[in-house]
Amino acid sequence: MNLKDKTVVVTGGNRGIGKAIALAFAQQGAAVAICGTNETTLKETSAEVERVGAAKSLGHKVDVSKEDQVEAFTKSVLEAFGKVDILVNNAGITKDNLLLRMSEQDWEDVLNINLKSAFLMTKHFVKPMMKARRGRIINITSVSGVKGNAGQANYAASKAGLIGLTKTTAREFASRGITCNAIAPGFIQTDMTSALGEKALAEVTTQIPLGFLGETSDIANTVLFFASDEARYITGQVICVDGGMVI
Ligand code: NDP
């Protein structure tokens, strides 16, 4: 895979899966822009991205659910890098509860940060890709969006929505040489899953045919493949990287 001269944008690139994705591109020599809401981790991860070999690095504080902030971020990335080849919509949150107990606010927060964000980022970052007549958009959905999950009505709806957005984006921009695919992780070791606690995680592991939780690199490696020229004939697809949870 030759990703050396590519420019990449990763939302939520300051920690967890997004950080692993940003570092994986940096190790290939790509220019990497990350965004998130925490300025401290953004600074730390941007410095690490540069240390491991990125051609250039940029870390901006952006709430990806706000269009004015997404628009300003697009301008900054284009000023710094001159082009955008790859967009990874990874930022996401959970606010779990049973449907009957779920508040309207928790529904809206999760839909806005997990789904509306990908719409806004795609809308603004696809423009330079259209001009270049090539590009890669990769959305991080979830097995919850594929098969539903009790206690996650908001999260599963947002992730299922991302799958619809992925397929539509693939259809709308295929003629411009832009592909759009989604990755549905199962249980991956990050802050998001460690919040579940040891007992719940042990129970969850019994539902994974391969018998262990995935690592952030499992997702990052799949992103690199979708971003590469080797994946040029794949668009509108969802691949589960989940130890066999969805078979
Ligand atoms: P983490 O909780 O570790 O990280 C979430 C990331 O999203 C952080 O970088 C955070 O940045 C960013 N983020 C949250 N809200 C915003 C916002 N409003 N604007 C910009 N950035 C924001 O999660 P994971 O790394 O585990 O998950 C990454 C993605 O993978 C998510 O979309 C998640 O749904 C998905 N996923 C994860 C699974 C897992 O098992 N871990 C399983 C299936 C899917 P900051 O801290 O600066 O706010």
Side-chain angles (χ1 to χ4, degrees), residues 12 14-17 36-38 62-64 90-93 113 140-142 155 159 185-188 190-193:
N14 47 340
R15 60 189 174 92
I17 292 173
T37 63
N38 182 310
V62 180
D63 179 344
V64 284
N90 161 82
I93 60 164
I113 292 171
I140 307 298
T141 173
S142 165
Y155 184 78
K159 295 298 188 179
F187 284 94
I188 308 296
T190 66
D191 296 344
M192 191 177 268
T193 41

Side-chain angles (χ1 to χ4, degrees), residues 214-225:
E215 290 175 10
T216 53
S217 58
D218 293 311
I219 307 305
N221 290 333
T222 315
V223 171
L224 289 193
F225 170 66

Side-chain angles (χ1 to χ4, degrees), residues 49-184:
V49 159
E50 206 153 318
R51 251 197 330 271
V52 303
K56 283 183 189 168
S57 93
L58 196 82
H60 273 215
K61 185 178 175 189
V62 180
D63 179 344
V64 284
S65 65
K66 302 277 189 325
E67 185 158 24
D68 56 339
Q69 294 187 31
V70 168
E71 209 171 350
F73 182 48
T74 315
K75 275 196 192 136
S76 307
V77 174
L78 283 173
E79 268 167 31
F81 294 174
K83 62 170 186 154
V84 176
D85 299 300
I86 301 152
L87 166 65
V88 185
N89 287 311
N90 161 82
I93 60 164
T94 49
K95 289 200 175 182
D96 297 351
N97 214 333
L98 292 173
L99 189 147
L100 286 176
R101 293 191 196 142
M102 189 171 285
S103 68
E104 188 177 357
Q105 191 62 55
D106 283 356
W107 172 270
E108 281 178 3
D109 289 350
V110 171
L111 266 288
N112 285 340
I113 292 171
N114 294 6
L115 179 57
K116 184 180 156 195
S117 63
F119 154 67
L120 294 174
M121 289 290 296
T122 301
K123 183 177 159 189
H124 289 280
F125 278 97
V126 80
K127 288 173 192 163
M129 292 181 187
M130 285 168 74
K131 268 196 198 146
R133 298 194 75 82
R134 54 166 295 123
R136 295 276 192 271
I137 299 170
I138 299 150
N139 294 326
I140 307 298
T141 173
S142 165
V143 291
S144 294
V146 176
K147 63 193 189 94
N149 194 21
Q152 289 198 309
N154 50 2
Y155 184 78
S158 71
K159 295 298 188 179
L162 260 183
I163 293 173
L165 177 67
T166 300
K167 293 182 181 196
T168 302
T169 304
R171 285 184 184 277
E172 284 196 18
F173 298 101
S175 63
R176 308 298 184 105
I178 298 164
T179 68
C180 181
N181 292 289
I183 297 169

